[in-house]
Each structure stands twice: as C-alpha cells, then as structure tokens.
C-alpha cells in the first residue's frame, strides 16, 4: 500500500512528513503541533496521531516512525481543559484513552523523540512508543496526583514495568518531575543526547531500523512487547514461533547467504 494521499497536511493538530533514507525504507515523522498549550493531548490530536501511525504502518515504503513534539514540550499531558468539567459517566462514555490502545497494535517500531515536558499523558505517550530518545533538558513526570486524579493512559502499568515499583510509586504519588538522566538510569530511556540533537538522533536510529529486514523487525518488536504481558514460559514459546516463522522469509535466506559469501545482504522486505 503506497497511497498516503489521505495523510494530508489537512491535519489540524499534527504535522507529518516522510524522511528519505538513501536506498532503505523511509522514516515517517509525526510532530505534535499544539505549541500554545505545550502539545496538550486533546481528543482530536490523538485521533490524528493514531490515524497517521496506522497509515505509515500500512505503507510499504515506510520502515519506522518517529513521534516528536517541539523543543519546549513533547506533551504536557492530556488536555486538562477538555476534562475539567467532565463527570465520571462522561469520561466513561467518551472512553478517550481506549483509542491509545490502537498504538499497541502498530507493527512497525515507533521512536519517541522527547524534548522539554513529557508529563502525564505526554510521558504515557512516550512510553507507548518502543524507544525514547531524550534531550538532556527533558522533564518526565506523572503529575496527575496534583489534579486529584491518577495516570489514566497506561502510566501505572508501563512505568512500573519499565522502572520498577519503587521509582514508579515515587513518580506517581509525588507528581514530581525527573530529568532525562534520572529516567535513563531508571531504564525508561534508550539514550540521552544534547538538547539540539534529540530529533536528529531519533531519526538516525529510525533510519538504521528502517534499513533492517522488515519482517524480522516486526516479529522481533512483537516478541519484545509480549514480555510485558505474559509468563516467561509463554513468552519463550512465542519468541521461538516467531523465530521459526522468519525462516519462511526470503530475507532470512538472503541474510544468511550474504554472511557466508562475505557480502552485504540485499533485503527484499519479505
Ligand atoms: N492541558 C491543557 N492545557 C495545558 C496543559 C494541559 N495538560 N499543560 C499546559 N497547558 C497550557 C496552559 O494552560 C497554558 O495555556 P494558557 O497560555 O492559555 O494559560 C499553556 O499551556 C502554557 O502553559 P504554562 O503557562 O503553564 O507553562 P509553564 O512553562 O509555566 O508550565 C508546565 C509548564 C509545568 C508543564 C505546566 O503547564 C503544567 O503543569 N501543565 C500541566 C501538566 C499536567 O498536570 N499534566 C497531566 C495532565 S492529566 C493527564 O495527562 C491524565 C492522563 O493520565 C492521561
């Protein structure tokens, strides 16, 4: 599927672009674009993010996606103004965070390029991605407690699995902000880089991944994510099946033949 005509820049809350990658697959870039409110994640913005991710995911020419904000904010959370007057029943019927589950179904890797604030839903959105590259000045936090609520888009689960109970409790119960270095040490972040390099580094990483054999990348991502919601035994079985399944791809035969013949593999993406 190469038709991205509906990935138009008629989007109101995000900007999208495609980054060429010499001979390899492209990188799809999605930039949250509500700078006046520090990219607060309202319902319309999240609809657009999910649609853009799904479109890139189906596109044969795209190998990896990068999700970013701007220098001041990745995102300062769910849009508080949109929720301020809502009752429990309205929130339940709106079920706005259910849409976020669709991001879990994206097969291609997504890298969050974070600078500035990644708070509340912003931190949760970054954690929904597969890797986080952060500017050294980035600030991570789950400040919902200060609003009389708690994380509602995965924070209590993903943060705890990523950094452990002790530090997740501290973040969620105090609402304090933590530096990119703190979060790197805690294990949430892939790499911390200079403030002006966060997007370039994320794009370079995405290009590298986009140049790998597509099916192996997708099945490996799926297997790593499986570790979050299964037992070790079921996870190992799942991994093994995906491993064997890759022996059905042309790229497996090419990759191993190229190694034996001491040459660079030419991936077909199937
Ligand atoms: N929702 C709506 N608007 C927001 C927002 C949010 N989450 N975060 C910031 N904004 C708006 C501000 O209201 C302000 O708008 P106005 O100019 O119209 O007043 C604008 O963005 C700039 O913000 P500040 O003036 O506050 O900027 P600052 O630099 O002084 O402070 C900040 C930055 C510390 C991030 C502060 O904006 C802040 O605390 N934001 C809220 C963070 C938060 O509580 N996030 C959790 C939201 S709930 C959630 O995410 C639930 C969930 O689990 C999904």
């Amino acid at each position: 599927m190469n038709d991205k005509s509906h990935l138009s820049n008629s989007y109101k809350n995000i900007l999208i672009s495609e980054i060429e990658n010499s001979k390899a697959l492209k990188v799809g870039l999605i930039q949250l674009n509500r700078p006046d409110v520090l990219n607060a994640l309202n319902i319309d913005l999240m609809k657009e993010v999910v649609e853009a991710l799904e479109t890139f995911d189906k596109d044969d020419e795209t190998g990896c996606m990068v999700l970013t904000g701007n220098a001041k904010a990745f995102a300062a959370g769910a849009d508080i103004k949109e929720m301020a007057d809502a009752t429990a029943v309205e929130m339940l019927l709106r079920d706005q965070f259910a849409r976020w589950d669709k991001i879990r179904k994206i097969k291609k890797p997504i890298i969050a390029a974070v600078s500035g604030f990644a708070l509340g839903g912003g931190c949760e959105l970054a954690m929904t991605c597969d890797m986080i590259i952060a500017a050294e000045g980035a600030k991570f936090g789950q400040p919902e407690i200060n609003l009389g609520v708690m994380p509602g888009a995965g924070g209590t689960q993903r943060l705890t699995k990523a950094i452990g109970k002790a530090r997740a409790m501290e973040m969620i119960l105090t609402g304090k902000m933590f530096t990119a270095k703190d979060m790197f040490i805690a294990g949430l972040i892939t790499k911390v880089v200079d403030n002006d390099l966060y997007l370039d580094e994320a794009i370079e990483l995405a290009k590298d991944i986009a140049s790998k054999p597509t099916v192996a990348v997708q099945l490996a991502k799926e297997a790593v994510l499986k570790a979050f919601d299964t037992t070790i035994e079921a996870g190992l079985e799942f991994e093994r099946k995906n491993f064997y399944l890759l022996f059905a791809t042309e790229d497996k035969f090419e990759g191993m033949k190229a190694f034996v013949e001491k040459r660079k593999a030419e991936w077909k993406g199937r």
Side-chain angles (χ1 to χ4, degrees):
M1 204 277 295
N2 295 328
D3 179 18
K4 282 157 284 182
S5 50
H6 61 296
L7 249 190
S8 64
N9 271 321
S10 64
Y11 285 139
K12 292 191 173 61
N13 303 286
I14 60 172
L15 300 170
I16 54 116
S17 53
E18 295 178 274
I19 297 164
E20 297 293 333
N21 192 11
S22 54
K23 285 182 189 157
L25 293 178
K26 294 178 195 172
V27 170
L29 179 64
I30 301 172
Q31 185 182 8
L32 310 179
N33 190 32
R34 297 185 76 209
D36 295 346
V37 287
L38 305 181
N39 291 330
L41 306 168
N42 65 4
I43 293 172
D44 289 345
L45 178 146
M46 285 308 299
K47 265 188 201 158
E48 293 180 2
V49 167
V50 170
E51 186 189 313
L53 284 171
E54 286 178 338
T55 306
F56 280 131
D57 203 32
K58 286 190 203 118
D59 173 39
D60 297 339
E61 293 176 356
T62 303
C64 191
M65 284 80 88
V66 172
L67 181 61
T68 194
N70 55 48
K72 183 154 189 217
F74 177 72
D79 192 321
I80 299 169
K81 291 161 196 162
E82 208 173 51
M83 298 183 293
D85 295 325
T87 64
V89 173
E90 279 163 357
M91 287 303 281
L92 202 71
L93 295 177
R94 229 187 246 179
D95 204 10
Q96 67 195 70
F97 300 131
R99 180 170 295 109
W100 294 49
D101 293 342
K102 294 188 174 184
I103 301 175
R104 280 181 59 211
K105 307 270 185 263
I106 299 289
K107 292 191 165 65
K108 293 173 188 165
I110 311 167
I111 299 170
V114 176
S115 175
F117 299 109
L119 302 177
C123 187
E124 289 167 302
L125 182 59
M127 289 191 287
T128 309
C129 299
D130 300 303
M131 278 174 272
I132 302 175
I133 300 293
E136 59 186 357
K139 294 268 192 308
F140 293 79
Q142 296 290 159
E144 291 90 342
I145 201 83
N146 298 324
L147 299 168
V149 288
M150 58 178 275
T156 61
Q157 305 305 298
R158 288 204 179 89
L159 192 62
T160 307
K161 297 216 172 181
I163 70 173
K165 176 185 158 195
R167 280 172 291 196
M169 281 288 188
E170 185 190 13
M171 273 182 88
I172 291 167
L173 300 185
T174 68
K176 277 197 319 202
M177 289 189 224
F178 291 81
T179 64
K181 195 172 163 217
D182 290 332
M183 298 318 292
F184 175 76
I185 292 166
L188 190 75
I189 289 176
T190 304
K191 196 171 177 192
V192 183
V193 299
D194 287 349
N195 282 337
D196 49 356
L197 290 181
Y198 73 99
L199 188 53
D200 291 346
E201 288 266 354
I203 289 171
E204 276 317 303
L205 178 58
K207 282 184 174 176
D208 187 21
I209 293 167
S211 72
K212 305 291 178 192
T214 314
V215 186
V217 167
Q218 294 187 15
L219 294 193
K221 163 175 165 160
E222 186 186 38
V224 172
L225 290 181
K226 198 61 159 177
F228 281 91
D229 53 28
T230 194
T231 61
I232 184 82
E233 201 178 346
L236 289 172
E237 202 171 308
F238 187 87
E239 177 192 78
R240 206 167 301 135
K241 295 243 167 82
N242 274 9
F243 179 74
Y244 294 150
L245 186 54
L246 287 170
F247 283 66
T249 62
E250 290 180 33
D251 283 343
K252 172 264 160 189
F253 290 98
E254 166 63 6
M256 293 194 180
K257 194 161 179 268
F259 175 82
V260 174
E261 292 172 1
K262 300 190 188 302
R263 61 173 173 82
K264 198 169 180 292
E266 288 185 26
W267 305 123
K268 296 212 165 59
R270 54 181 186 268

